[in-house]
Amino acid sequence: MELDERNYLYLLFIIPILVVLFLFNLYWKRKKQREFGDLDLVKRLSPESSVFKPILKLVFMLLAMIGIIFGLVNPKIGTKMEKVKREGIDIVFAMDVSKSMLAEDVAPSRLEKSKQIVSQVINQLGNDRIGIVAYAGSAFPVLPITTDYSVAKMFLQSMNTDIVSSQGTSLVEAIKLSSTYFDDKSKTSKLLIMISDGEDHSDGADAAAAEANKLGIKIITIGVGTEKGSPIPLKVNGIVQSFKRDNNNEVVITKMNSESLKVIAKATKGGYVSGNNTKEVLEYIKNALNNIQKTEFESTQMADFQSQFQWFLGFAFLLLFLDIFFLERKTNWVKKLNLFNEKE
């Protein structure tokens, strides 16, 4: 198991222990000197012994130890910018966040299942760039194209049915906005993965898919939900209070419509897969990615923290080097300076 560098900070507890031991040793020496004879007489017998040098040496040693400990911790500050060449494709995930995605015919819900699928797909990616779009009655850009998968997952988990005010499900808007994520001039392969229950309340999804196909975008659709359907729970603090009703006060049953998703996929020579089994989806996506040509591209600048351990170690070794010259005896040049008031 890899050791966390921050654990070296626990070594700082040695500092107060050494101080206590030094004070105890000082007390013990004084006690023994008193037992030996008069302190003034002892001082006269060892005139070259310095009172303050041992304290100074201790301070130097403790500061050196602190420097070494912080060197082991390896603090990182500042940024180091560099450009990295990668080989992959551009992928945009378009996620349905309409109210129907709250249905629980797929555990724990259609929306949470969609998040799980996207997260697992991201886990098996290599050097591909990814972006995220949310859509309901309209589409909303969640995350632009990036190579930072951790940030993508963070945005993914924060998605809910309230981030798009316009309700319904417009696959057209999702395709149109997702298409703007891709660079028309780039030769990088483009893949749009759409996750939805397929309940499209707009027309022209097949035409929008045909336009995407002209731009070189392949679309894979993932259907989440069951054809039997399920009511849409309305929860307060995680507890179901009621179910969504229509204008006639009847409970709305939302059903998964795979046909609309299959039409979109077919228009771009992509494919459709049921999202109710995550393992099957991952296998399908993996095979699809293996059949898509990878392109070398230069990723956006990547920030990396610069290590600062060398400054702390340099400071520590400087103090240890100086400590060599501070013996516990008085030195002539220090005597002349009288830094420690040790002149008779």
Side-chain angles (χ1 to χ4, degrees), residues 97 134-140 164-170 173-174:
V97 292
Y135 67 95
S138 60
F140 176 77
V164 179
S165 58
S166 177
Q167 282 306 306
T169 303
S170 178
E173 294 298 320

Side-chain angles (χ1 to χ4, degrees), residues 22 48-60 322-335 339-340 342:
F22 175 81
E48 297 301 316
S49 179
S50 174
V51 177
F52 298 97
K53 283 262 188 98
I55 298 175
L56 186 62
K57 286 176 66 65
L58 175 70
V59 172
F60 273 37
L322 292 175
D323 181 57
I324 297 173
F325 298 98
F326 283 92
L327 304 175
E328 294 192 8
R329 297 177 58 192
K330 296 177 182 178
T331 49
N332 291 329
W333 66 273
V334 175
K335 265 186 187 180
L339 293 174
F340 307 111
E342 294 187 288

Side-chain angles (χ1 to χ4, degrees), residues 14-26 58:
I14 297 175
I15 304 300
I17 295 174
L18 292 176
V19 172
V20 171
L21 290 175
F22 175 81
L23 293 175
F24 176 78
N25 182 60
L26 200 63
L58 175 70

